[in-house]
Amino acid sequence: MLKKINPTQTDAWKALEIHSQNAKHLHLRDLLQADPQRFDKMHVHLESLLLFDYTKHRVTEETLSLLEQLFTEMDVRGALQSQLRGERINETENRAVLHTALRDPRTEPLLLDGEDVRALAKSELKKMLRFAEAVRSGRKRSHTGMRFTHIVNIGIGGSDLGPRMAVEALKPFSDRALTVHFVANVDGSDLHECLQKIDPETTLFIIASKTFTTQETMANAEAAKSWLIQQLGDAQCVEKHFVALSTNHEKVATFGISKKNNFGFWDWVGGRYSVWSSIGLPLCIAIGSKAFESFLLGAHNIDLHTENQPFRQNIPMLMAALGIWYRNFLGATSHVVLPYDQYLHRFAAFLQQADMESNGKFVDRSGNAVDYPTGPILWGEPGTNGQHAFYQWLHQGTECLPADFIASVHPQHPLHAHHAKLLSNFLAQTKALALGRPAADTAFKVFEGNRPTSTLLLDSLTPYALGALIALYEHKIFYQGVVWNIFSFDQWGVELGKEMANVILPELEGEESLGKHDSSTSALLEYIRARTKD
Ligand code: F6P
């Protein structure tokens, strides 16, 4: 089980507080100038995969050793072992957290309640890979005997963001004869627009929902089913055109999807960590089983990396520690992720759920309100687009926040001149943010600099590299949650709004008098009802 330690009571935290008073005055310009060897000491290179450079951070050797001490006092390595061993570290839901087992090629049993989770994961993976290949090869046919050309994933949150981001990221590796669509929103325009683009005879619907009770997903799934039956004029078509990805076999059966067409997973896979499970099916169909296995392996190798490397060579630990430094000691309220890669245009959206649903918590592991900030706002957009939108704020705004710059040395397209331009911007931005321009003819042109950045430079954005990239962030999020003494794997904060929506829905649709609400909600409800009467 995870220890319940208030991080502010550790020696390292207290020392970091004192240290931060001086460190506030450090400038990256001086740090970079004072030590020409700074890069040599502050980067991690994973051969033929990626380079992580943390030279441009407002830290000294003392900062880093205090952060390392904090990690030791908070026992982050012990916590990782608890996770990997399958202890029920998601205490408020009484669940283990074993998404790492889904990408673990090792065959030694890993037991949870007497069951070997590695073996379970492998057998479900095999079923999914076989199915994906059958769709890709055309062996799996539609109700009218046609090849599938459209795949529609209906799911939301973790049952959408991971596969959607990964399908976009790995487009160059995908079978272009298949188009993968994603429908998430309960706003009917999402499904409506998708239905305009697909051919009912050649469309496979994937209903992705861990619980198979999520309002948005079930509404879209039911509507898609009715639409298909109406289009094909035969209720039997559901058997060939619908599959489910879910832990809730009963509900899947009630919906009308047979057991063989349900690709299962387990309660020890959190929604936002589920892209490695059968939730990855749309990706697997898009890129094929070999590439999907490579995606899993890339993540597994990061699991081994973070388990075994010392702090100063451990990328997720460094990412987590630097984030804590800015959040808790230098007052940063947000963290920006800037992929200079159009294929990663959904990466920040994916990370938003992974990070903010995990660490957006104000209650510690003992049930007390924390008296220190926990997870920051995470946001981002691809470069160079962001440069023409919000970078003004990054360079000359009044807040200083850490940024992750991500790019690949080799592009996945043949336009090499474009890539040189992209990378020149990529390098120029982190340099400009760090050094600024202290003197100018007017104050309006002054750049203070001292804006910290990490650089994550992939060799190229392959399935293996994407798996590794996601896993780096997953472990970062985990370590931060451990240090903040919060539970990172529950999400009670999404419940209240859902409950209230269930009360409001019949009131919105019905004629009866309204229940008790605050004056604003009642007035808005009445307003909508009055305007939708006829
Ligand atoms: O919005 C909360 C949430 O529970 C997420 O954590 C989850 O990823 C999403 O809803 C979807 O849940 P499900 O896969 O059960 O439909």
Side-chain angles (χ1 to χ4, degrees):
M1 280 306 158
L2 301 186
K3 292 180 182 154
K4 296 178 173 144
I5 308 168
N6 181 340
T8 65
Q9 298 311 307
T10 59
D11 292 342
W13 189 285
K14 290 174 193 158
L16 278 160
E17 266 173 342
I18 296 166
H19 172 71
S20 66
Q21 293 313 313
N22 294 328
K24 274 188 185 128
H25 307 295
L26 291 174
H27 199 292
L28 280 168
R29 229 173 1 242
D30 303 325
L31 290 170
L32 286 158
Q33 207 168 33
D35 182 3
Q37 263 78 52
R38 192 171 162 88
F39 171 83
D40 298 340
K41 298 171 199 155
M42 294 192 178
H43 77 272
V44 184
H45 184 209
L46 304 185
E47 198 52 45
S48 69
L49 176 62
L50 63 87
L51 173 74
F52 175 67
D53 174 25
Y54 59 104
T55 315
K56 297 188 185 91
H57 277 290
R58 293 166 58 179
V59 293
T60 61
E61 287 298 322
E62 188 185 353
T63 323
L64 291 168
S65 67
L66 287 174
L67 287 166
E68 183 175 1
Q69 188 191 328
L70 176 65
F71 274 38
T72 307
E73 286 187 66
M74 294 306 293
D75 192 24
V76 295
R77 286 193 189 270
L80 180 67
Q81 288 310 316
S82 297
Q83 182 199 340
L84 297 176
R85 271 198 302 268
E87 288 175 27
R88 291 180 191 279
I89 61 164
N90 177 0
E91 266 185 53
T92 65
E93 295 181 322
N94 192 27
R95 288 175 182 168
V97 176
L98 278 171
H99 51 272
T100 43
L102 299 165
R103 56 205 191 202
D104 189 341
R106 292 172 295 189
T107 50
E108 305 90 82
L110 175 61
L111 297 181
L112 179 69
D113 299 331
E115 271 197 298
D116 178 4
V117 294
R118 282 193 191 131
L120 274 180
K122 282 188 184 62
S123 104
E124 209 59 31
L125 174 65
K126 207 165 145 196
K127 179 177 163 191
M128 170 170 108
L129 298 181
R130 212 180 303 125
F131 180 82
E133 286 305 331
V135 173
R136 286 166 63 84
S137 68
R139 258 183 298 123
K140 164 98 190 147
R141 295 268 162 169
S142 78
H143 184 61
T144 52
M146 317 251 303
R147 264 181 107 107
F148 286 110
T149 57
H150 294 276
I151 312 293
V152 178
N153 189 84
I154 297 181
I156 198 163
S159 300
D160 167 73
L161 290 161
R164 190 196 289 255
M165 174 277 288
V167 164
E168 286 298 308
L170 298 178
K171 233 176 210 151
F173 298 84
S174 66
D175 179 348
R176 305 283 182 160
L178 286 162
T179 309
V180 187
H181 310 261
F182 288 87
V183 174
N185 204 330
V186 78
D187 178 345
S189 53
D190 203 1
L191 179 64
H192 174 71
E193 285 302 323
C194 176
L195 296 181
Q196 315 302 309
K197 293 184 223 152
I198 58 178
D199 174 355
E201 279 197 77
T202 62
T203 298
L204 177 71
F205 288 94
I206 298 176
I207 314 303
S209 176
K210 182 175 169 180
T211 55
F212 228 70
T213 57
T214 303
Q215 186 200 50
E216 293 91 333
T217 303
M218 295 334 294
N220 282 324
E222 289 293 351
K225 185 166 77 172
S226 306
W227 175 82
L228 192 79
I229 294 172
Q230 200 223 342
Q231 293 286 317
L232 298 185
D234 183 356
Q236 299 303 315
C237 65
V238 174
E239 168 66 19
K240 289 275 173 56
H241 287 255
F242 277 79
V243 299
L245 318 176
S246 184
T247 60
N248 192 338
H249 303 282
E250 256 177 48
K251 292 260 188 238
V252 169
T254 311
F255 180 85
I257 295 176
S258 61
K259 197 162 173 241
K260 78 169 180 4
N261 287 334
N262 182 22
F263 300 87
F265 55 113
W266 306 271
D267 73 358
W268 41 264
V269 182
R272 51 196 176 273
Y273 300 91
S274 63
V275 69
W276 322 103
S277 73
S278 56
I279 291 293
L281 180 64
L283 174 65
C284 193
I285 294 175
I287 63 174
S289 54
K290 284 272 158 310
F292 190 79
E293 285 181 302
S294 174
F295 171 70
L296 297 183
L297 201 59
H300 174 66
N301 281 346
I302 293 300
D303 299 340
L304 298 178
H305 163 86
T306 202
E307 207 184 340
N308 297 311
Q309 290 303 311
F311 181 81
R312 287 294 291 269
Q313 284 300 308
N314 197 312
I315 302 173
M317 282 194 189
L318 290 164
M319 290 165 78
L322 291 164
I324 287 167
W325 171 239
Y326 293 111
R327 182 79 176 122
N328 297 107
F329 300 97
L330 297 187
T333 53
S334 78
H335 185 112
V336 62
V337 177
L338 304 164
Y340 275 62
D341 192 323
Q342 192 58 30
Y343 287 121
L344 285 174
H345 72 105
R346 295 295 297 171
F347 192 60
F350 160 74
L351 279 186
Q352 235 162 24
Q353 187 202 14
D355 204 307
M356 294 170 80
E357 200 167 77
S358 296
N359 288 341
K361 314 267 162 81
F362 80 104
V363 173
D364 72 13
R365 290 200 283 268
S366 305
N368 302 316
V370 297
D371 56 0
Y372 47 87
T374 60
I377 301 163
L378 192 143
W379 57 288
E381 276 291 318
T384 59
N385 299 7
Q387 289 177 203
H388 300 274
F390 54 81
Y391 276 42
Q392 164 64 39
W393 186 90
L394 293 182
H395 284 284
Q396 287 189 317
T398 51
E399 273 189 47
C400 164
L401 73 158
D404 294 350
F405 278 70
I406 304 170
S408 295
V409 176
H410 305 291
Q412 292 294 346
H413 59 74
L415 306 173
H416 290 278
H418 278 67
H419 199 59
K421 292 186 178 78
L422 179 80
L423 289 185
S424 65
N425 277 282
F426 175 76
L427 295 172
Q429 287 297 330
T430 59
K431 181 178 172 190
L433 284 164
L435 304 182
R437 184 169 58 199
D441 52 356
T442 99
F444 303 109
K445 294 182 184 170
V446 168
F447 290 68
E448 288 172 334
N450 212 17
R451 318 257 154 155
T453 57
S454 294
T455 295
L456 247 163
L457 199 51
L458 304 173
D459 270 20
S460 61
L461 185 59
T462 59
Y464 185 92
L466 182 69
L469 184 65
I470 300 170
L472 288 176
Y473 278 94
E474 284 183 349
H475 288 296
K476 177 215 88 131
I477 293 165
F478 174 75
Y479 293 136
Q480 291 187 329
V482 172
V483 171
W484 286 324
N485 191 31
I486 54 178
F487 287 121
S488 295
F489 296 99
D490 59 20
Q491 55 285 317
W492 299 106
V494 301
E495 294 302 325
L496 182 60
K498 283 188 201 171
E499 283 165 27
M500 289 186 178
N502 285 336
V503 173
I504 290 173
L505 178 62
E507 295 180 355
L508 202 59
E509 290 175 331
E511 289 290 307
E512 70 271 21
S513 57
L514 299 184
K516 206 166 160 25
H517 299 287
D518 61 277
S519 62
S520 162
T521 309
S522 297
L524 293 168
L525 246 165
E526 288 289 17
Y527 183 88
I528 298 172
R529 282 210 327 183
R531 272 156 187 75
T532 50
K533 248 195 184 116
D534 312 310

